[in-house]
Amino acid sequence: QVQLVESGGGSVQAGGSLRLSCTASGDVDSIYCMGWFRQVEGKEREGVAAWDTGSTAYADSVKGRFTISRDNAKNTLYLQMTSLKAEDTGMYFCAADAALVCGPQYVLQATVAGMDYWGKGTLVTISS
């Protein structure tokens, strides 16, 4: 089992930056890919950034503004968000998968059922 805990959410003005963190614990060696997802009330959860060893992928809406990275020594996944827009507002969730065949493109399109582990989320609010 893997436990994921997100942090770093908050309220910022449009144009600002935030860095989200997701710390993993438990059987972290079983993780092959991870990602950040965003959910707005009334809409489905969508993948915004994904990572596996050696590659990353991003949703078109965040390309050039968000950067996903992982510090293996700290078992922590990060999402650096810059040039934030009002439409970036939402609950951000970290997820991980233990499937050998998972990859960034799989993660970006994954549903809630498609990822093995989820954090509880951290709220990001962007004011215009």
Side-chain angles (χ1 to χ4, degrees), residues 74-102:
K74 296 181 179 180
N75 293 320
T76 300
L77 184 76
Y78 299 101
L79 184 67
Q80 180 68 51
M81 306 186 294
T82 63
S83 301
L84 284 162
K85 305 176 181 179
E87 51 263 43
D88 294 319
T89 293
M91 186 69 80
Y92 283 71
F93 297 88
C94 173
D97 200 273
L100 291 174
V101 297
C102 76

Side-chain angles (χ1 to χ4, degrees), residues 96-109:
D97 200 273
L100 291 174
V101 297
C102 76
Q105 291 302 328
Y106 168 86
V107 173
L108 276 188
Q109 299 180 36

Side-chain angles (χ1 to χ4, degrees), residues 2 4 6 8 12 18 32 36 42-44 55 58 62 67 72-73 84 87 93 96 103 106 108-109 114 120 124 126:
V2 173
L4 303 172
E6 303 97 334
V12 297
L18 280 174
Y32 280 89
W36 286 98
K43 294 188 177 182
E44 292 188 358
S55 61
Y58 298 91
V62 307
T67 303
N72 290 328
L84 284 162
E87 51 263 43
F93 297 88
Y106 168 86
L108 276 188
Q109 299 180 36
K120 295 184 182 299
V124 172
I126 311 301

Side-chain angles (χ1 to χ4, degrees), residues 30-84:
S30 70
I31 296 173
Y32 280 89
C33 57
M34 300 183 74
W36 286 98
F37 293 74
R38 175 171 68 200
Q39 187 165 23
V40 178
E41 188 172 352
K43 294 188 177 182
E44 292 188 358
R45 197 171 297 186
E46 61 174 354
V48 296
W51 171 94
D52 75 359
T53 304
S55 61
T56 58
Y58 298 91
D60 288 343
S61 60
V62 307
K63 279 181 182 176
R65 301 188 298 119
F66 290 12
T67 303
I68 189 171
S69 61
R70 179 175 173 177
D71 185 331
N72 290 328
K74 296 181 179 180
N75 293 320
T76 300
L77 184 76
Y78 299 101
L79 184 67
Q80 180 68 51
M81 306 186 294
T82 63
S83 301
L84 284 162

